[in-house]
Amino acid sequence: MTLGMASFACEDALLKFLSQSIPTGELLLVLGFAGMILFGAWVARSSEGLRLRDLLHRGVMLRNFCEAVCSVSFVTALAIGDLSTASAILQALPLLMTLGAALFLGEPVGWRRWLSIMLGFAGVLMIVRPGTDAFQPGSILALIAVLALAVRDLVTRRLPASIGSGTLTASAFGAIGIAGLVLLILDAQRLVAPRPVEGVMMAASLCFGLAGYITMVIATRIGEIGAIAPFRYSRLVFAIILGVVIFAERPDLWTLAGAGLIASAGGYAMWREARLRRRRKSDPAGSLIRPG
């Protein structure tokens, strides 16, 4: 899980660096369609296979739309704001997932996790600080990205089990490529021929993204969820280090404190949910389980 989060942080850093000379739409167009082709070819050769008719499912289309919104928002946030700030806001995803599951899926959430949600949102406000000199417009885009991710993951929970995760991932890459094309057209962005070094960096960014996804899947399959889930927040540590070393970012005390609060609250929410899941398995009747 830690290796996967380091890979995602490196992907974000490369995207931020590339966005200084290559239009955001072009980045999404190239990386999205390249990822779709590479990952789709791998899925097609696997036992799962590609079932293109699954892409017409309304839930899959909504999921891909959310993926497109997230990619445009987050990469733009990286381009105009700090890597550490955008990454810190992104860590609120588990809290939004818990909130969404309670409000829209009817899952029981006790006072402990409600408290962690409120503390996590307080951490987000500490980072964003609307109405102050520290406010960054990129923070709003990062918030839009994490909201889109939360809707995407909630929709994923409702998809039929017959729709394979490989097909979903390949189609998500395709949605990112389409989003890049739309952004190029709407924003009248001109295509830029990447220099050789930029081409290498784009390929490296794609490799880091695929490596992050694969290692995260492996981690969730071989490890206990409650034990490995908090290590998702190592991505924030790597992002802060890369932001400081590569982009000379200097997160202030409020940003660091807010990031720590989000990580603590989100880590607790994930640990608590995993613990309750284990207890439900040991007590199928649910007579001893209280939401926490």
Side-chain angles (χ1 to χ4, degrees):
M1 181 63 78
T2 304
L3 179 60
M5 295 304 104
S7 298
F8 284 134
C10 290
E11 178 192 25
D12 293 343
L14 285 169
L15 287 175
K16 178 173 176 59
F17 190 88
L18 287 166
S19 66
Q20 298 174 4
S21 55
I22 297 178
T24 301
E26 182 176 347
L27 283 175
L28 296 175
L29 174 68
V30 173
L31 297 178
F33 285 139
M36 180 190 68
I37 293 171
L38 292 175
F39 201 86
W42 178 71
V43 174
R45 294 176 61 87
S46 69
S47 58
E48 175 186 329
L50 281 175
R51 296 189 296 272
L52 298 181
R53 64 179 179 275
D54 290 341
L55 303 182
L56 299 178
H57 190 281
R58 287 182 297 177
V60 174
M61 290 190 287
L62 177 57
R63 185 185 189 277
N64 286 340
F65 174 76
C66 292
E67 192 79 57
V69 172
C70 171
S71 61
V72 172
S73 301
F74 190 67
V75 175
T76 306
L78 290 175
I80 66 176
D82 290 346
L83 172 63
S84 53
T85 298
S87 298
I89 293 173
L90 195 66
Q91 303 313 307
L93 176 60
L95 299 170
L96 275 177
M97 283 291 296
T98 302
L99 177 63
L103 295 179
F104 303 110
L105 302 183
E107 295 186 8
V109 174
W111 67 270
R112 297 178 183 86
R113 281 188 289 169
W114 279 118
L115 179 60
S116 69
I117 291 171
M118 289 187 289
L119 290 175
F121 289 162
V124 172
L125 288 176
M126 291 169 64
I127 296 173
V128 177
R129 280 169 282 171
T132 69
D133 293 338
F135 172 74
Q136 297 182 14
S139 299
I140 300 299
L141 291 170
L143 283 171
I144 294 174
V146 77
L147 284 170
L149 280 178
V151 175
R152 180 203 68 180
D153 290 347
L154 289 171
V155 170
T156 303
R157 288 190 181 188
R158 291 296 191 181
L159 291 177
S162 59
I163 300 178
S165 58
T167 300
L168 288 176
T169 303
S171 66
F173 274 113
I176 292 172
I178 294 173
L181 178 61
V182 172
L183 185 61
L184 280 172
I185 296 173
L186 294 181
D187 204 27
Q189 297 178 355
R190 298 183 61 183
L191 292 174
V192 175
R195 294 172 296 175
V197 65
E198 292 170 338
V200 171
M201 292 175 69
M202 292 175 73
S205 175
L206 179 60
C207 290
F208 276 124
L210 292 173
Y213 176 81
I214 292 171
T215 50
M216 186 173 66
V217 169
I218 293 173
T220 54
R221 286 182 173 177
I222 66 176
E224 183 182 353
I225 296 298
I228 65 174
F231 285 90
R232 293 175 64 99
Y233 287 95
S234 61
R235 178 176 182 171
L236 177 57
V237 177
F238 292 119
I240 291 175
I241 293 173
L242 290 171
V244 170
V245 173
I246 299 177
F247 303 106
E249 296 177 2
R250 294 295 182 267
D252 59 21
L253 184 59
W254 280 98
T255 299
L256 294 175
L261 191 56
I262 293 172
S264 300
Y268 174 79
M270 288 190 291
W271 171 82
R272 182 68 180 173
E273 184 174 352
R275 184 182 179 186
L276 291 173
R277 189 182 299 114
R278 290 197 302 269
R279 290 171 62 185
R280 292 189 191 100
K281 290 181 180 178
S282 63
D283 180 26
S287 58
L288 302 179
I289 304 300
R290 290 180 298 175

